[in-house]
Amino acid sequence: MFVIYGSRYYFQQRSVKSFGQCLACNGFGWQKSYDGSNFGHLYFIPLIPLGSRKRVLKLCSSCNQMLLVDQPVSIDMANSMIESCRQAIESAKQGQTTLPSNEGEPEPIDSFLFSSVDMLVALDATDQLTPLIEQLSLDPSMKYYYSVMNAALGHTKGPKPEVEALYLEAIENADDPDFMMAMLARYYFSAGQVDQAITSYEHVSQMHPQDPHPILVLVDLYTNTRQFDKAAEKWEQVFQLHPALMQDKKSWKLYAKVCKKAGRQPVAAV
Ligand SMILES: [Zn+2]
């Protein structure tokens, strides 16, 4: 006879299910967030408490990775993120498009607000978030930021046609549509709409030829749809931007593989 021992998070509360991108495997899917206490279990009976109460954030259904913070810290995080969103909105009302920053590139307000939404939902702060978004809807000058946050919030409920409409609305309301064009491409990717994702990422990549991110997503999209010639071309674009990447064994191996499948010679390594 053997003893079944393990540990998991018991006594779950404030459980939230949301659709989003995993920080570990980068895949899109349903994620679970909740408060819980880690217990060692014997025959699936929670017997041995292990540490303080935590909040599990964005538990990925495919790779099982998550973020873990102490439960009281998660409350502080939610409050301070809501406050930062409020301040960002105030700056936007004064005509700023970026947040003041002491170091590095200043963060654009649209991307800051967009990325805050997903985490606030995981932190179970939707009750604080919704009134913030509703307030924006009352101010005609904040139309763009309203639609940005609305699209992000809609996306956490799953990839649906009405969410695509929210992204398109945000693009229409934008003075500079670049950011939301990229987010629309990401939306198509998340929804498995491969053809639309390819068209959108090609467009984003043409607008920002120096940015390797959309090119790398295209490498994936072309490889997954067995368009190996185009995948090889995209690898070569990435190598042109970052020649050092050719020395990276893993990247080179992936590139050589698509070249073989496309029936072409890899370009000479520098
Ligand atoms: Zn994952």
mmCIF file of all heavy atoms in Angstrom, residues 22 24-26 60 62-64, ligand 1:
data_model
loop_
_atom_site.group_PDB
_atom_site.id
_atom_site.type_symbol
_atom_site.label_atom_id
_atom_site.label_comp_id
_atom_site.label_asym_id
_atom_site.label_seq_id
_atom_site.Cartn_x
_atom_site.Cartn_y
_atom_site.Cartn_z
ATOM 1 N N CYS A 22 -0.791 33.597 -21.280
ATOM 2 C CA CYS A 22 0.020 33.074 -20.184
ATOM 3 C C CYS A 22 1.390 33.745 -20.190
ATOM 4 O O CYS A 22 2.018 33.887 -21.240
ATOM 5 C CB CYS A 22 0.167 31.573 -20.321
ATOM 6 S SG CYS A 22 1.305 30.853 -19.155
ATOM 7 N N ALA A 24 4.003 32.526 -18.841
ATOM 8 C CA ALA A 24 5.060 31.510 -18.915
ATOM 9 C C ALA A 24 5.162 30.921 -20.321
ATOM 10 O O ALA A 24 6.238 30.888 -20.902
ATOM 11 C CB ALA A 24 4.798 30.420 -17.894
ATOM 12 N N CYS A 25 4.048 30.436 -20.875
ATOM 13 C CA CYS A 25 4.134 29.728 -22.158
ATOM 14 C C CYS A 25 3.679 30.602 -23.328
ATOM 15 O O CYS A 25 3.723 30.162 -24.480
ATOM 16 C CB CYS A 25 3.334 28.426 -22.110
ATOM 17 S SG CYS A 25 1.540 28.629 -22.132
ATOM 18 N N ASN A 26 3.195 31.844 -23.021
ATOM 19 C CA ASN A 26 2.765 32.797 -24.055
ATOM 20 C C ASN A 26 1.491 32.377 -24.782
ATOM 21 O O ASN A 26 1.019 33.098 -25.659
ATOM 22 C CB ASN A 26 3.849 33.032 -25.105
ATOM 23 C CG ASN A 26 4.799 34.116 -24.668
ATOM 24 O OD1 ASN A 26 4.370 35.063 -23.989
ATOM 25 N ND2 ASN A 26 6.055 34.001 -25.023
ATOM 26 N N CYS A 60 -2.555 28.946 -15.683
ATOM 27 C CA CYS A 60 -2.744 28.616 -17.104
ATOM 28 C C CYS A 60 -3.260 27.193 -17.239
ATOM 29 O O CYS A 60 -2.724 26.273 -16.624
ATOM 30 C CB CYS A 60 -1.405 28.773 -17.819
ATOM 31 S SG CYS A 60 -1.399 28.188 -19.514
ATOM 32 N N SER A 62 -3.050 25.299 -19.812
ATOM 33 C CA SER A 62 -2.236 24.359 -20.584
ATOM 34 C C SER A 62 -0.894 24.054 -19.939
ATOM 35 O O SER A 62 -0.454 22.908 -19.981
ATOM 36 C CB SER A 62 -2.094 24.800 -22.045
ATOM 37 O OG SER A 62 -1.533 26.059 -22.126
ATOM 38 N N CYS A 63 -0.215 25.029 -19.316
ATOM 39 C CA CYS A 63 1.107 24.707 -18.746
ATOM 40 C C CYS A 63 1.112 24.672 -17.214
ATOM 41 O O CYS A 63 2.139 24.350 -16.607
ATOM 42 C CB CYS A 63 2.180 25.667 -19.256
ATOM 43 S SG CYS A 63 2.152 27.293 -18.498
ATOM 44 N N ASN A 64 -0.048 25.019 -16.593
ATOM 45 C CA ASN A 64 -0.174 24.967 -15.139
ATOM 46 C C ASN A 64 0.710 25.955 -14.371
ATOM 47 O O ASN A 64 0.906 25.803 -13.173
ATOM 48 C CB ASN A 64 0.120 23.552 -14.616
ATOM 49 C CG ASN A 64 -1.159 22.802 -14.353
ATOM 50 O OD1 ASN A 64 -2.185 23.425 -14.036
ATOM 51 N ND2 ASN A 64 -1.127 21.504 -14.495
HETATM 52 ZN ZN ZN B 1 0.873 28.624 -19.938
#
